[in-house]
Amino acid sequence: MATDATNPSESTGLPAEIADLQVKISNFKDEVRDITDLCFGFSIYEDLFAPTSSIELMIVDAEGLLEQTPIIGDEHVTITYRTRGIKNKNYKGQGTEILQDGSTGELYEVRVRSYQIYKLSKKQEVEERQHAYVLHGVDDHQVINEMIDLNESYVGQNCIKAIDSIFKSSFRPFNIQPKLNGIERDDPIESTNSSFYIAPGVTPFESIMHLMQEAEHKETSLKNNSDYVFYQDYQGFHLTTLTELKSAPTKFDFTVKDMGANIDSKNDGTSKSDSDSADQKTAVI
């Protein structure tokens, strides 16, 4: 939606800065409380070698949140946020921002992430009647995974199809994102071989990890083409290989620079061009 004037809040010098943050916590009684003002910061962890993501929220509490909403392990925290800044310039669709030079730009997508709280760190008193502590959360799939035992044969099934079947059936009806992705939103590429695996009362994620080790990738032209990984990011769950990820097209080019390099160069007599070439590094993702 276009605005009538430039919004200065979109100006930022920090790549990780966010906007439109909203943090809510709900308990087993379905009571919801907005704790945005209590959330000093948060970190979301996504790991290629872990099946689910996790979160840590730093809470600075002067309102007695734990007394009013005791943390017993059935709480969920929902975070809504957007990366601050302009994604694409000269964009005129939904989510359009008018820039200072009169052109238009696309705002970053608003994301919603939900986690179940499983741990509360020790409270530390930071000021009188004010405490700081960390709430630790995991994705619901990780919690549900520990409650399921698979006793099923996958002998003769395509390894990747068997993984897809486990993912879609084990977490139903809790799986709000039933699609298993490959690269980005693409479907996973099937393996060339069939499985010899029988799940002996293990969790779905353990079965998926075993089938990944058996799977042989269709694309034989790639080196080490069967290094499968199963992981979760903001798009959902992915099943692909490290080789596929490394072979994907470049998404971003950015330059990392020491902001104090120019000041240092003035002090030691180094020219600006020498300083820039020494302290700038270009990274490709």
Side-chain angles (χ1 to χ4, degrees):
M1 181 176 179
T3 58
D4 296 331
T6 302
N7 185 353
S9 66
E10 295 306 322
S11 300
T12 178
L14 301 175
E17 191 173 3
I18 60 174
D20 302 336
L21 175 64
Q22 192 173 56
V23 185
K24 293 184 177 182
I25 189 169
S26 60
N27 60 16
F28 65 97
K29 296 180 181 179
D30 290 330
E31 298 171 340
V32 180
R33 176 167 178 174
D34 192 323
I35 60 171
T36 306
D37 294 337
L38 305 182
C39 184
F40 181 77
F42 67 92
S43 298
I44 295 177
Y45 299 96
E46 297 174 350
D47 189 345
L48 281 175
F49 303 102
T52 60
S53 60
S54 60
I55 191 171
E56 292 180 356
L57 298 101
M58 171 61 75
I59 304 297
V60 180
D61 182 13
E63 300 180 5
L65 173 65
L66 299 182
E67 287 71 26
Q68 300 173 33
T69 309
I71 304 298
I72 62 174
D74 286 332
E75 293 74 30
H76 281 78
V77 61
T78 302
I79 297 187
T80 305
Y81 64 94
R82 173 176 62 82
T83 301
R84 191 186 300 278
I86 302 300
K87 184 177 181 181
N88 293 318
K89 202 172 180 181
N90 299 322
Y91 177 83
K92 296 182 180 180
Q94 186 177 5
T96 296
E97 179 79 11
I98 298 179
L99 309 182
Q100 292 181 349
D101 59 4
S103 61
T104 59
E106 178 188 8
L107 299 179
Y108 282 91
E109 179 183 350
V110 175
R111 306 199 184 283
V112 180
R113 311 287 292 268
S114 179
Y115 296 89
Q116 182 169 336
I117 301 300
Y118 73 93
K119 181 181 177 182
L120 169 68
S121 70
K122 185 177 180 180
K123 293 196 299 183
Q124 301 288 337
E125 186 173 0
V126 291
E127 291 183 9
E128 186 178 0
R129 298 181 181 178
Q130 187 178 79
H131 294 83
Y133 48 89
V134 178
L135 296 177
H136 301 261
V138 293
D139 186 82
D140 279 333
H141 289 79
Q142 184 64 55
V143 178
I144 298 168
N145 176 70
E146 302 301 322
M147 303 177 184
I148 300 174
D149 291 331
L150 288 183
N151 294 277
E152 191 169 342
S153 172
Y154 300 96
V155 176
Q157 296 186 38
N158 182 280
C159 292
I160 302 303
K161 284 188 174 181
I163 292 174
D164 187 67
S165 174
I166 292 173
F167 177 74
K168 290 180 178 178
S169 61
S170 297
F171 301 103
R172 188 179 299 165
F174 306 99
N175 196 355
I176 60 174
Q177 295 177 322
K179 184 180 187 303
L180 182 59
N181 304 301
I183 292 288
E184 296 289 334
R185 300 287 190 180
D186 297 338
D187 294 329
I189 299 178
E190 293 182 14
S191 61
T192 58
N193 62 317
S194 299
S195 173
F196 295 94
Y197 179 61
I198 300 176
V202 296
T203 65
F205 285 158
E206 287 178 306
S207 298
I208 288 173
M209 297 304 171
H210 186 96
L211 288 164
M212 278 168 41
Q213 296 176 358
E214 284 192 6
E216 298 176 4
H217 200 280
K218 268 188 174 181
E219 183 55 65
T220 57
S221 62
L222 300 175
K223 296 180 180 178
N224 193 20
N225 61 341
S226 297
D227 45 1
Y228 279 93
V229 287
F230 176 77
Y231 63 95
Q232 181 188 30
D233 64 9
Y234 66 91
Q235 293 180 327
F237 286 86
H238 299 264
L239 176 62
T240 183
T241 66
L242 292 175
T243 307
E244 281 185 309
L245 290 171
K246 291 186 289 186
S247 302
T250 301
K251 294 184 65 176
F252 300 103
D253 288 323
F254 64 94
T255 300
V256 180
K257 179 181 178 182
D258 182 0
M259 300 304 292
N262 291 340
I263 298 177
D264 294 339
S265 66
K266 292 179 181 178
N267 295 335
D268 61 16
T270 308
S271 67
K272 181 178 179 181
S273 59
D274 293 339
S275 169
D276 288 348
S277 61
D279 292 286
Q280 288 191 17
K281 298 179 181 179
T282 299
V284 177
I285 295 181

